[in-house]
Amino acid sequence: MYIVMVASECAPVAKVGGLGDVVFGLSRELEIRGNAVEIILPKYDCMRYDHIWGLTVSYRDLWVPWFNYRVHCTVYFGFVHGRKCYFIEPHSGDNFFNRGSYYGFPDEHMRFAFFSKAALEFMTQAGKRPDVIHTHDWQTALVPVMLYEIYQHAGMGNCRVCHTLHNVKHQGIAGENVLWFTGLGRPPYYYDRRRMGDDFNPSAINFTKGAIVYSNFITTVSPTHAWEIRHTEWGYGLGHVLHVHQNKFGGILNGLDYEMWNPESDRAIPHHFNAENFLEKRKNKAALRQRLWMNDDEKPLVAYVGRLDMQKGVSLIRHALFRSLQMNAQYVLLGASPERGINAQFWQLKHELNDNPDCHLEIGYDEELAHLIYAAADILVVPSLFEPCGLTQMIALRYGTVPVVRSVGGLADTVFDTDHSDRPLHERNGYVFYQSDNLAIESALDRAISLWHGRPEAFRDLALRGMRCDYSWNRPGADYLNVYELIRHK
Ligand code: ADP
């Protein structure tokens, strides 16, 4: 099968969160299974160009119709750790992708509406006729809409679309102008609630709703989250349209790229290890402590890695820090927030705790440091309020770090409490709590820290059980191929 991923991120060249990891990992798995896979991305100025091999111009003059004129683009090709990637660079005054960061601009919906249109134009003009186009989140949600309404009449009639919802909090909300710019036009037609008219804001076009209506199949990134976004407030208003289209909607758990996340060969960690020589892991803990100027005492190391977003349970992340220190453990945090208020709050905390040799807060984005933390820590906390899938707990398991998670979304599908679970013992791999208050996280974190102090061998066995879980792309890769096969023959 010939599959084209159209996405706003791909790890590690352009990664903000889990979406980038998924595009990277799933593409490789599909390729291993004998499919031809290509990825189309915007050519951002701030990408990690050091991860692109052999970047060359592939298509010099791509003209993309935009409003009543055409935008000149150049398409580049390069390999990202073996994946075939195309990068679209528009040459226009809007300067859509030369802004020093990936997201966070007032014309966001225009930037990605343009990218979606340009990707379709590129495929059409370059003669690419994939069996399946796989799009991701609101940024590329207009692809299925434009494919059906415009490009199927330009020779793309046999392409099918699978759209994945990674985070429905962000849906792509725009006004009428986006219809005129993309060439869709006809506002009354698209504002219809059965198409892209937002269910709660009559003057808004909702990109994600468009993808749900127009795609041949919609997935989200875990089975539990598939239920949550249909039936609870975590659907952010999409419950109804998902209900209407329930026959083409399902949850497929994300996988983890086991090549990129491999404690046996990870280039970002000084001491490689596996379940057989697990003691080597301790050397990474010493290395991290040395790097962050922390005490090297006989204490467990608790960590948090991830965006500092309300979604991630910031107050619990903070509480876990104080609780860890109280429980005679150390705490390391690596995270950044696009929201100034949250960033300021953690900077303040960092200053307050500056002299404490048992904790370290690193506020920013640092891919290499993240790898070292996963390899060094004993316990990783993931106290999310909602979590579509969550990769950090899976990475932790792979690196023999015991996850302490709140039971939501993909966290509920991947972590099973060692003391209280209906799963067989060999599947119990961490600690789980349910409510979102301080006592709840303590009920799990205290047990983890106490086990480390009181019964180190039992703690090690728990970590080893985690390492033996298989959260690779093997199974989800097969699941996605089943979906592609299904829609191809419809
Ligand atoms: P989300 O997609 O909501 O951000 P996930 O858990 O699905 O959350 O994916 C987060 C990914 O981003 C993981 O690979 C994690 O290691 C990485 N990550 C998040 N924040 C940082 C950071 N500050 N520095 C390095 N890596 C980070």
Side-chain angles (χ1 to χ4, degrees):
M1 221 184 298
Y2 175 22
I3 299 143
V4 171
M5 300 270 167
V6 184
S8 57
E9 296 180 32
C10 176
V13 268
K15 167 174 157 179
V16 174
L19 193 168
D21 286 304
V22 169
V23 172
F24 181 80
L26 176 59
S27 300
R28 165 57 56 87
E29 181 65 31
L30 295 170
E31 228 163 31
I32 290 171
R33 289 167 175 268
N35 302 284
V37 184
E38 290 168 354
I39 305 170
I40 303 181
L41 298 158
K43 187 167 178 290
Y44 302 101
D45 57 348
C46 52
M47 287 193 301
R48 291 278 304 258
Y49 284 88
D50 55 326
H51 285 280
I52 309 177
W53 188 81
L55 190 66
T56 46
V57 171
S58 153
Y59 204 84
R60 189 171 297 282
D61 298 310
L62 176 72
W63 290 93
V64 180
W66 191 239
F67 194 46
N68 57 3
Y69 51 97
R70 293 189 306 161
V71 175
H72 181 222
C73 300
T74 302
V75 185
Y76 292 77
F77 175 83
F79 288 98
V80 174
H81 298 262
R83 283 92 173 147
K84 296 188 186 97
C85 294
Y86 291 95
F87 303 92
I88 299 183
E89 178 182 58
H91 309 289
S92 80
D94 290 315
N95 215 23
F96 280 143
F97 305 115
N98 294 323
R99 299 182 181 186
S101 63
Y102 301 112
Y103 303 133
F105 303 98
D107 59 346
E108 209 78 330
H109 56 285
M110 281 301 188
R111 299 173 68 216
F112 290 103
F114 179 82
F115 169 62
S116 301
K117 174 111 186 147
L120 282 162
E121 277 295 331
F122 171 51
M123 286 186 264
T124 309
Q125 294 183 31
K128 293 183 179 297
R129 297 292 179 268
D131 298 296
V132 173
I133 301 175
H134 193 153
T135 53
H136 300 267
D137 262 358
W138 76 265
Q139 289 90 343
T140 49
L142 285 186
V143 169
V145 180
M146 290 190 277
L147 178 70
Y148 185 83
E149 296 286 358
I150 303 174
Y151 290 90
Q152 69 158 322
H153 309 296
M156 306 271 292
N158 289 328
C159 300
R160 298 289 176 266
V161 181
C162 171
H163 182 82
T164 296
L165 306 169
H166 296 260
N167 192 336
V168 295
K169 188 175 172 189
H170 310 285
Q171 298 178 9
I173 299 294
E176 194 178 312
N177 59 350
V178 83
L179 298 176
W180 296 118
F181 273 86
T182 52
L184 287 165
R186 295 194 286 166
Y189 179 76
Y190 291 108
Y191 271 100
D192 188 315
R193 291 263 186 90
R194 286 166 302 176
R195 295 194 180 84
M196 286 197 282
D198 190 84
D199 281 336
F200 299 93
N201 181 353
S203 58
I205 287 288
N206 185 322
F207 289 17
T208 300
K209 186 171 175 187
I212 295 170
V213 172
Y214 281 90
S215 296
N216 302 94
F217 206 89
I218 309 111
T219 64
T220 189
V221 289
S222 69
T224 297
H225 196 58
W227 185 89
E228 287 169 344
I229 59 177
R230 264 191 69 190
H231 300 287
T232 75
E233 75 271 26
W234 299 124
Y236 285 94
L238 292 175
H240 175 69
V241 66
L242 285 170
H243 178 73
V244 172
H245 295 279
Q246 58 180 291
N247 290 338
K248 55 168 187 167
F249 171 58
I252 298 180
L253 192 68
N254 279 342
L256 195 65
D257 191 279
Y258 269 26
E259 240 172 71
M260 171 184 256
W261 298 105
N262 184 356
E264 283 182 277
S265 56
D266 191 329
R267 281 202 230 139
I269 67 173
H271 304 283
H272 294 146
F273 62 98
N274 56 28
E276 274 67 53
N277 65 350
F278 189 63
L279 278 181
E280 288 293 296
K281 180 174 162 76
R282 296 182 71 152
K283 295 186 184 165
N284 291 308
K285 187 166 163 182
L288 180 74
R289 283 168 160 170
Q290 196 180 18
R291 177 167 165 182
L292 302 181
W293 299 78
M294 292 170 74
N295 273 355
D296 199 6
D297 295 335
E298 200 53 23
K299 288 183 181 181
L301 181 61
V302 181
Y304 174 81
V305 178
R307 292 182 296 119
L308 296 171
D309 185 290
M310 285 319 282
Q311 170 203 334
K312 301 286 178 185
V314 274
S315 72
L316 295 181
I317 294 168
R318 193 187 155 92
H319 184 71
L321 186 162
F322 292 112
R323 187 66 185 173
S324 300
L325 297 180
Q326 260 174 13
M327 295 282 296
N328 199 22
Q330 295 183 317
Y331 194 88
V332 170
L333 174 146
L334 170 62
S337 175
E339 278 177 53
R340 258 202 232 153
I342 300 181
N343 252 344
Q345 186 192 329
F346 278 90
W347 271 107
Q348 167 78 19
L349 196 59
K350 183 178 167 75
H351 287 135
E352 280 166 24
L353 296 164
N354 211 13
D355 296 331
N356 190 326
D358 279 332
C359 73
H360 182 93
L361 282 75
E362 189 71 31
I363 299 165
Y365 189 93
D366 188 333
E367 188 77 33
E368 282 75 19
L369 181 60
H371 283 247
L372 181 56
I373 293 175
Y374 292 118
D378 298 293
I379 296 165
L380 185 93
V381 287
V382 197
S384 305
L385 299 183
F386 75 94
E387 191 59 79
C389 178
L391 292 177
T392 63
Q393 82 282 12
M394 295 201 255
I395 304 171
L397 290 167
R398 176 97 167 128
Y399 282 71
T401 301
V402 173
V404 172
V405 310
R406 182 154 177 266
S407 182
V408 284
L411 299 170
D413 292 331
T414 50
V415 180
F416 309 104
D417 196 287
T418 181
D419 300 321
H420 314 288
S421 169
D422 50 11
R423 298 268 175 160
L425 186 67
H426 71 272
E427 287 182 20
R428 300 187 195 178
N429 53 13
Y431 291 91
V432 177
F433 62 98
Y434 293 85
Q435 311 301 335
S436 51
D437 52 40
N438 291 350
L439 281 180
I441 190 169
E442 284 175 20
S443 75
L445 184 58
D446 289 11
R447 282 187 290 137
I449 296 175
S450 303
L451 189 73
W452 191 96
H453 279 300
R455 293 172 56 212
E457 280 183 9
F459 188 90
R460 200 198 57 206
D461 287 347
L462 175 59
L464 289 176
R465 280 209 298 278
M467 287 187 92
R468 292 195 187 100
C469 297
D470 180 6
Y471 289 124
S472 69
W473 274 104
N474 188 20
R475 225 179 106 179
D479 291 344
Y480 273 109
L481 276 175
N482 283 337
V483 167
Y484 300 163
E485 285 293 347
L486 178 83
I487 58 181
R488 236 181 107 191
H489 296 110
K490 256 193 179 168

